Amino acid sequence: MDGNKNIGVYFAKTPVNYVSVKSGNRNDPTVWNTPYVPDMATDTALISAQHVVTIPAGYTTTCGAITFGTGLVGAKTTLQINGTLNLAANLVPGVYTKLAIGAGGTLDLRG
């Protein structure tokens, strides 16, 4: 034995409240107010008014809760599911919410 020891360092990601800053794919970090994407059962995501957030085909993700923002009268907020969304807690629609599940899309409500 040469006296060297390996030390592993692990970083735990804490739950985050994500807010969409533009429309786009859910797995695109530039869509959110942080440099990450919501991907844990304890994360919450707010889709801001007039934004369309899409879960692309072939993409599977998990989120704790999704809330749809409200804004101007008739300002639609959309979650388009073409892949798979495992929702661990709540889905809180706004007044003008559109939840669209495309062909091959799956919404698994576990809350």
Side-chain angles (χ1 to χ4, degrees), residues 15 28 32 37 41 47 51 56 60 78 89 96 103 107 109 111:
D28 177 359
W32 306 101
V37 297
I47 301 175
H51 289 174
T60 298
T78 304
Y96 299 99
L107 174 60
L109 300 174

Side-chain angles (χ1 to χ4, degrees), residues 11-92:
F11 297 95
K13 185 176 163 243
T14 57
V16 176
N17 294 321
Y18 293 86
V19 178
S20 68
V21 296
K22 67 177 186 176
S23 294
N25 284 341
R26 188 174 188 283
N27 57 335
D28 177 359
T30 66
V31 167
W32 306 101
N33 62 327
T34 73
Y36 307 102
V37 297
D39 65 355
M40 293 179 20
T42 54
D43 288 341
T44 61
L46 169 67
I47 301 175
S48 299
Q50 297 182 304
H51 289 174
V52 176
V53 174
T54 301
I55 297 172
Y59 181 72
T60 298
T61 187
T62 299
C63 191
I66 297 176
T67 301
F68 295 85
T70 57
L72 304 172
V73 172
K76 191 182 299 181
T77 302
T78 304
L79 174 62
Q80 174 71 44
I81 302 173
N82 295 330
T84 300
L85 171 61
N86 299 314
L87 190 60
N90 300 314
L91 182 66
V92 183

